Amino acid sequence: MNENDKKQANLRVLQRLDASVQDIVCSATHVVLYEFNQKKQHWEKRNVEGSLFITQRIDEPIFRLLVLNRNSTDNLEVSIGIHFQMQVREPYLIFRSQNGDATIRGLWFHDNNERRTVSTYLEQIVEDAKNPAAAAISSPTPTTVASPPTATTSPALNQQQQQQYNPGAFKRDATTATTPSLAQMEAMPLPQ
């Protein structure tokens, strides 16, 4: 079965679950869901794992992340829009939607290339949702998602962007309450 046939078969399955699905933007073969327990301050594995799809829908929300759960009939469905926040901490994609649900979730990806592709698409969808005028200019239809940038066309995240997508990655200095400078970080001893 070629890739297009697989995509069409998956699309038919997704349309049985949600008649509003009109296309699969991208997918990953296998992910596992974790949720952060705020009270205990640790990650807990959930009984959700399977194929991940980012779908484009006819109705609101236009984009949705869906994990077809192999363990039960309870699938993970998350709307993707301006309130969707995410960051990549290899090998995980950590996110929260903030549509009345402040749950912090993490998806472990079996394939790191799929994680990179999914995160690139998610970033583009959120950016287009925040900037609908720019999305309309850059693409024929506002909901069209561009192909993920290649290594030669995608600039690396600068330090400020990395901190934006990885808040709390650096411990704050208790005396100054600021993020350490690059020089201070270089001078820090490595963990033992």
Side-chain angles (χ1 to χ4, degrees), residues 1-14:
M1 184 181 281
N2 68 33
E3 289 302 313
N4 190 46
D5 291 342
K6 286 180 191 175
K7 182 177 178 180
Q8 291 306 312
N10 285 329
L11 184 59
R12 285 190 297 275
V13 169
L14 294 170

Side-chain angles (χ1 to χ4, degrees), residues 17-174:
L17 297 172
D18 179 358
S20 294
V21 172
Q22 74 180 64
D23 195 14
I24 297 171
V25 177
C26 74
S27 63
T29 54
H30 189 77
V31 299
V32 178
L33 176 67
Y34 291 82
E35 286 185 359
F36 188 72
N37 184 318
Q38 297 281 355
K39 289 181 183 178
K40 296 180 181 177
Q41 291 293 299
H42 70 86
W43 290 94
E44 297 173 345
K45 184 178 178 183
R46 292 294 176 219
N47 191 32
V48 176
E49 60 182 275
S51 298
L52 175 145
F53 299 93
I54 297 177
T55 61
Q56 183 175 357
R57 305 172 71 248
I58 296 167
D59 300 322
E60 291 291 330
I62 299 297
F63 293 98
R64 184 175 279 166
L65 181 149
L66 174 74
V67 176
L68 284 180
N69 194 358
R70 293 180 182 153
N71 296 332
S72 76
T73 56
D74 295 328
N75 298 319
L76 173 68
E77 295 183 41
V78 179
S79 300
I80 305 168
I82 60 173
H83 299 292
F84 187 88
Q85 297 176 330
M86 61 166 256
Q87 59 181 271
V88 174
R89 289 191 187 171
E90 291 190 22
Y92 300 94
L93 173 71
I94 298 171
F95 67 94
R96 74 172 145 203
S97 64
Q98 290 190 327
N99 288 345
D101 180 12
T103 304
I104 299 170
R105 295 180 172 109
L107 290 170
W108 173 85
F109 284 74
H110 172 72
D111 183 324
N112 285 332
N113 290 326
E114 289 179 341
R115 181 185 30 76
R116 282 191 275 285
T117 300
V118 167
S119 66
T120 299
Y121 276 106
L122 288 171
E123 287 171 352
Q124 184 65 51
I125 291 167
V126 172
E127 185 62 34
D128 288 351
K130 290 179 180 178
N131 257 331
I137 292 169
S138 67
S139 62
T141 60
T143 56
T144 299
V145 178
S147 298
T150 62
T152 56
T153 62
S154 176
L157 289 176
N158 63 34
Q159 184 178 0
Q160 181 182 6
Q161 289 169 317
Q162 288 174 0
Q163 289 175 0
Q164 176 186 354
Y165 284 104
N166 196 357
F170 306 115
K171 292 184 179 177
R172 294 187 174 268
D173 182 337

